[in-house]
């Protein structure tokens, strides 16, 4: 496969070959269950402790706040379903642009007696602190706002939101604040240790790690709803995926140890993304989503790694398939929502009708180049010209 033509990094990334090779060796070498008390079990447990420490160091948080999960989805819903073990069925506040891992679980919580309040996004795809605070009720127990939207790339002001929640609830019970950081960690600066962020979700396969492993950051331990063997301090029972955990730690460590390089890559990609935006805007019927993004140079409002655009007269799925036939790979949005053919994030931004139906997402990796982006543009132009 030609990864120069792969533009669906927000869905999943190609795994780092060196990490994959070493993780396979780890899986073969460490055969014991970390919960076993014999020599092989103790050996596995020591590695588990070591990798938890490495993850914590890379993320700048305490070891005790790191809980290994199966991925971003589980890390997103565990804080929410933990509310089920309490006697009170209160309110959950969820942003209107959340990943389906949050929005679908919130819908299920309604069936369990909770009320769910949605926070509206503005036309730029941003959830403002003021909008969050306005939705807090006396019985609000949890607030969910993602760090970077997985479809538009809009960067949410999570630190300002955390501070606003704290200020608003001064002298009163403060709801928990959960952040889906899946599209942020390893791509843009993200400080999970910021006071007021209670829990956060991370996934390895979004940053060249393996699938099936993630982290739930939890500043203070909460009683879990799901029970079992008690692994991960009771938060996530089940025998630990030791090879995946090593790979997660290695992936995070690589990003943390080259923070300046990651920042430089983001700056380089911002220039490349702006270049593509300018070229796409020359095409008949192309609209950058949100339209505001195409009206001014790249800013801190959007991640340079994700770009969304709509093309008049070309349904998004048609464009995705046409590009795929030519060896270029993009998507119509979140991989978890593609088959449902709906657009809740765009609906939340007031983008409807053909503009929403014709939307596609282009997402980039750290090894992109102007040459590969120009090749993608040329192919898109060729297809657009056929429809106009």
């Amino acid at each position: 496969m030609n990864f120069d033509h792969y533009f669906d990094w927000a869905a999943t990334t190609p795994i780092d070959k060196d990490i994959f090779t070493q993780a396979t060796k780890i899986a073969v070498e460490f055969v014991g269950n970390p919960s076993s008390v014999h020599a092989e079990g103790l050996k596995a447990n020591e590695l588990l402790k070591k990798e938890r420490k490495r993850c914590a160091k890379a993320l700048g948080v305490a070891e005790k706040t790191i809980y290994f999960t199966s991925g971003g989805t589980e890390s997103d819903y565990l804080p929410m379903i933990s509310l089920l073990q309490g006697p009170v069925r209160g309110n959950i506040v969820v942003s209107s642009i959340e990943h389906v891992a949050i929005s679908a679980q919130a819908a299920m919580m309604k069936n369990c007696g909770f009320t769910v309040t949605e926070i509206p996004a503005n036309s730029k795809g941003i959830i403002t602190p003021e909008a969050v605070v306005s939705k807090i009720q006396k019985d609000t127990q949890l607030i969910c706002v993602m760090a970077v939207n997985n479809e538009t790339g809009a960067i949410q002001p999570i630190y300002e939101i955390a501070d606003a929640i704290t200020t608003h609830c001064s002298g009163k019970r403060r709801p928990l604040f959960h952040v889906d950081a899946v599209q942020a960690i390893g791509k843009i600066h993200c400080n999970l240790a910021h006071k007021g962020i209670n829990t956060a979700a991370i996934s390895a396969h979004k940053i060249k790690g393996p699938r099936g492993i993630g982290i739930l950051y939890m500043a203070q331990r909460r009683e879990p709803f799901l029970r079992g063997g008690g692994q991960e301090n009771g938060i996530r029972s089940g025998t630990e995926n030791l090879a995946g955990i090593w790979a997660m730690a290695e992936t995070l460590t690589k990003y943390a140890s080259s923070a300046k390089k990651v920042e430089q890559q983001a700056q380089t990609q911002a220039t490349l993304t702006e270049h593509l935006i300018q070229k796409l805007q020359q095409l008949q019927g192309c609209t950058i989503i949100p339209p505001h993004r195409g009206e001014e140079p790249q800013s801190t409002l959007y991640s340079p790694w994700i770009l969304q655009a709509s093309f008049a007269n070309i349904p998004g799925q048609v464009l995705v398939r046409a590009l795929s036939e030519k060896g270029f790979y993009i998507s119509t949005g979140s991989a978890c929502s593609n088959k449902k053919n709906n657009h809740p994030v765009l609906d939340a931004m007031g983008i409807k009708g053909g503009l929403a139906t014709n939307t596609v997402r282009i997402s980039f990796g750290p090894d992109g180049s102007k040459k590969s982006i120009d090749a993608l543009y040329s192919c898109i132009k060729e297809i657009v010209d056929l429809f106009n």
Side-chain angles (χ1 to χ4, degrees):
M1 177 180 171
N2 184 358
F3 286 110
D4 285 343
H5 293 174
Y6 183 72
F7 294 93
D8 198 18
W9 286 68
T12 194
T13 65
I15 189 170
D16 182 296
K17 292 181 180 179
D18 292 337
I19 289 178
F20 175 78
T21 300
Q22 187 59 32
T24 302
K25 293 179 180 178
I26 293 289
V28 173
E29 179 182 352
F30 290 83
V31 298
N33 187 319
S35 297
S36 297
V37 296
H38 53 61
E40 284 299 322
L42 295 175
K43 176 183 172 182
N45 188 259
E46 283 303 310
L47 181 65
L48 177 61
K49 291 178 181 178
K50 177 183 175 182
E51 301 315 313
R52 194 185 311 278
K53 181 180 291 186
R54 280 214 297 161
C55 288
K57 182 179 179 180
L59 293 170
V61 298
E63 289 177 55
K64 64 181 181 180
T65 66
I66 299 295
Y67 299 89
F68 295 111
T69 69
S70 64
T73 293
E74 188 177 25
S75 296
D76 268 333
Y77 70 61
L78 281 176
M80 191 177 296
I81 65 173
S82 73
L83 301 176
L84 293 170
Q85 59 84 32
V88 179
R89 296 292 186 262
N91 172 251
I92 300 170
V93 176
V94 176
S95 93
S96 57
I97 59 168
E98 291 301 297
H99 187 277
V100 68
I102 290 288
S103 60
Q105 186 58 49
M108 291 302 297
M109 296 296 279
K110 285 185 179 180
N111 297 337
C112 299
F114 288 83
T115 61
V116 177
T117 304
E118 189 174 87
I119 313 165
N122 62 24
S123 60
K124 298 177 182 179
I126 304 295
I127 303 294
T128 66
E130 294 77 16
V132 174
V133 168
S134 71
K135 297 299 181 180
I136 297 177
Q137 302 175 20
K138 289 183 178 180
D139 64 343
T140 297
Q141 294 178 281
L142 176 69
I143 299 171
C144 301
V145 181
M146 66 197 329
V148 175
N149 183 261
N150 55 300
E151 294 187 29
T152 66
I155 299 173
Q156 306 305 316
I158 56 172
Y159 311 120
E160 292 83 354
I161 290 172
D163 294 344
I165 295 170
T166 299
T167 300
H168 178 79
C169 298
S170 179
K172 299 177 287 186
R173 182 187 55 79
R174 182 187 184 278
L176 297 173
F177 179 40
H178 175 75
V179 174
D180 178 336
V182 167
Q183 295 292 347
I185 295 296
K187 299 181 181 183
I188 66 169
H189 175 69
C190 189
N191 177 23
L192 297 184
H194 184 89
K195 190 175 182 180
I197 296 177
N198 301 103
T199 57
I202 303 168
S203 178
H205 79 99
K206 304 295 186 179
I207 48 175
K208 303 184 79 170
R211 300 169 192 178
I213 184 68
I215 287 175
L216 168 61
Y217 163 76
M218 188 177 290
Q220 291 88 30
R221 185 186 181 281
R222 291 182 55 77
E223 283 300 313
F225 176 71
L226 299 176
R227 308 284 174 145
Q231 291 88 346
E232 294 305 294
N233 197 19
I235 296 299
R236 200 271 183 179
S237 293
T239 303
E240 297 87 351
N241 174 7
L242 206 55
I245 288 168
W246 178 90
M248 174 102 248
E250 186 70 9
T251 302
L252 289 175
T253 300
K254 274 194 170 186
Y255 279 101
S257 63
S258 57
K260 288 186 178 179
K261 181 181 177 181
V262 171
E263 185 177 344
Q264 290 172 350
Q265 287 175 331
Q267 292 174 350
T268 298
Q269 186 58 50
T271 300
L272 292 174
T273 303
E274 177 63 24
H275 168 70
L276 180 58
I277 288 175
Q278 292 176 355
K279 292 182 76 71
L280 289 176
Q281 287 179 313
Q282 298 172 15
L283 297 180
Q284 182 179 347
C286 177
T287 302
I288 302 301
I289 305 295
H292 164 84
R293 187 173 184 177
E295 295 170 0
E296 60 183 40
Q298 286 286 324
S299 70
T300 55
L301 288 180
Y302 302 99
S303 167
W305 305 107
I306 299 174
L307 175 64
Q308 200 166 39
S310 182
F311 297 86
N313 306 319
I314 312 177
Q317 292 188 359
V318 171
L319 181 55
V320 168
R321 292 185 182 124
L323 284 170
S324 179
E325 290 176 1
K326 295 178 180 294
F328 290 83
Y329 308 102
I330 65 172
S331 71
T332 55
S334 170
C336 296
S337 301
N338 276 343
K339 294 180 180 179
K340 299 177 183 178
N341 200 28
N342 56 11
H343 308 87
V345 172
L346 298 181
D347 290 343
M349 295 162 58
I351 297 172
K352 301 181 183 297
L355 199 60
T357 302
N358 298 348
T359 295
V360 295
R361 180 185 69 184
I362 304 169
S363 51
F364 312 93
D367 303 318
S369 66
K370 184 175 180 295
K371 180 180 178 181
S372 63
I373 284 177
D374 284 343
L376 172 66
Y377 167 75
S378 295
C379 198
I380 291 175
K381 183 179 185 303
E382 182 180 332
I383 296 168
V384 169
D385 288 345
L386 290 174
F387 281 81
N388 290 299

